Amino acid sequence: MRVVSLVPSLTEAVAVTLPGVLVGATDWCGHPAGLDVTRVGGTKNPRLDGIVALAPDLVIANEEENRAPDLDALRAAGPTVLVTEVRDVPQAFRELERVLTACGARARPRWLDEAEAAWAAPPVPDRRTTAVVPIWRRPWMVLGRDTFAGDVLARLGVDHLYARHPDRYPRVPLDELRAAAPDLVVLPDEPYRFTADDGPEAFPGLRCALVSGRHLTWYGPSLAEAPRVLAGALRAAVR
C-alpha cells in the first residue's frame, strides 16, 4: 500500500499506526517528528503532478482542508481519493477508523482506544463558560457553526458565542468580538499563530487562554492527550 496524505493530522495517524505506508505528505505535516516522505506542497496548493508521480494507491484528504478541484483532478489522473468529513469528536473517531482500515490496518491502534477513553469522561469545570475563538486576524475570523474545534470546546465546558452563525468561519469585526463580552477568548497557535505578545492585547480586560492548535483542531494521536492539555490551558487563562 502506497499512501499520500494531504491532511496533517491524518498524516500523523497513519505514520504512527502503519510505518512505511506513507510515501507523500504536505509541507505542513510536521508530526511525527522526522517523518521522511516526499513533500507535495500545501494543503490548499498541492503539487498534483508530484502526487501522481508517486503512484499512490490512495490519497487521503479532508473536505475542509483540501480543495475539491484538486481532488477531482487527482481522481481523473488515476489515484483513489478518500475524503473525510469531521465536524465533531465522535465523527473524528469514525473517520480515523475508516482511514486506517483503508490504509491497511488490520486492528485498531492502542492510541485510538486511549483517545476514545479520554473523551468518554473529559475534565469539565464546575460551571460552563462562554468564549470567542479567533482563528485569524487581519481580518479577524472566528469559529462559527458546525466545527470540530467547537465541539471539542463544548465537551470541555466552553460554549463559543458564534456556534449558530450561518458561516463556519465568519469574519467578525474586532469591536463586535469585544462587545460580545465572553468569559474567555480562546487563542490557538494555528492556523494563525497567536502568542502571548500577539493576540491578547486586542482584548483588554478579557481573560485569554492560549491553547495548542494541534490539540484543538487535529484528529489523530493527539486526541488522547487533548482533554488534559486543553483543560489545563483553559484553567490558566489570564487577563
Side-chain angles (χ1 to χ4, degrees), residues 95-132:
E95 291 288 67
L96 282 165
E97 190 160 13
R98 183 166 74 101
V99 166
L100 295 175
T101 298
C103 291
R106 296 183 179 180
R108 283 170 58 95
R110 177 178 296 179
W111 66 259
L112 188 53
D113 289 334
E114 292 173 347
E116 288 208 71
W119 281 102
V124 294
D126 294 334
R127 69 177 186 88
R128 300 190 69 83
T129 57
T130 60
V132 294

Side-chain angles (χ1 to χ4, degrees), residues 86-94 119 122-124 128 133 143-160 162-163 168-169 215-217 219 223 226-227 230 234:
V86 178
R87 304 293 178 89
D88 57 35
V89 172
Q91 191 175 31
F93 291 132
R94 293 193 298 271
W119 281 102
V124 294
R128 300 190 69 83
V133 189
L143 290 186
R145 64 168 179 85
D146 199 22
T147 65
F148 172 73
D151 186 61
V152 164
L153 289 172
R155 291 169 188 274
L156 296 173
V158 179
D159 300 311
H160 72 93
Y162 291 88
R168 296 186 66 210
Y169 301 100
H215 291 99
L216 179 63
T217 65
Y219 32 91
L223 280 170
L230 291 172
L234 293 170

Side-chain angles (χ1 to χ4, degrees), residues 42-222:
T43 58
K44 297 292 192 291
N45 57 344
R47 292 188 293 275
L48 303 184
D49 55 346
I51 295 172
V52 174
L54 290 171
D57 301 297
L58 182 68
V59 176
I60 52 178
N62 175 262
E63 50 90 27
E64 179 174 80
E65 293 201 45
N66 309 118
R67 301 186 316 126
D70 292 330
L71 304 182
D72 290 341
L74 286 171
R75 291 188 186 96
T80 298
V81 180
L82 186 159
V83 182
T84 60
E85 178 183 294
V86 178
R87 304 293 178 89
D88 57 35
V89 172
Q91 191 175 31
F93 291 132
R94 293 193 298 271
E95 291 288 67
L96 282 165
E97 190 160 13
R98 183 166 74 101
V99 166
L100 295 175
T101 298
C103 291
R106 296 183 179 180
R108 283 170 58 95
R110 177 178 296 179
W111 66 259
L112 188 53
D113 289 334
E114 292 173 347
E116 288 208 71
W119 281 102
V124 294
D126 294 334
R127 69 177 186 88
R128 300 190 69 83
T129 57
T130 60
V132 294
V133 189
I135 58 166
W136 204 259
R137 66 183 302 176
R138 295 185 293 272
W140 287 94
M141 299 174 66
V142 299
L143 290 186
R145 64 168 179 85
D146 199 22
T147 65
F148 172 73
D151 186 61
V152 164
L153 289 172
R155 291 169 188 274
L156 296 173
V158 179
D159 300 311
H160 72 93
L161 296 179
Y162 291 88
R164 291 183 173 82
H165 195 281
D167 298 327
R168 296 186 66 210
Y169 301 100
R171 297 185 180 189
V172 182
L174 180 58
D175 288 347
E176 182 178 326
L177 296 179
R178 292 169 175 162
D183 299 318
L184 280 175
V185 179
V186 178
L187 299 169
D189 61 10
E190 62 175 78
Y192 186 91
R193 187 173 178 79
F194 288 106
T195 68
D197 299 319
D198 185 358
E201 82 290 342
F203 300 95
L206 294 176
R207 295 174 65 229
C208 292
L210 294 166
V211 304
S212 161
R214 176 168 170 258
H215 291 99
L216 179 63
T217 65
W218 285 35
Y219 32 91
S222 58

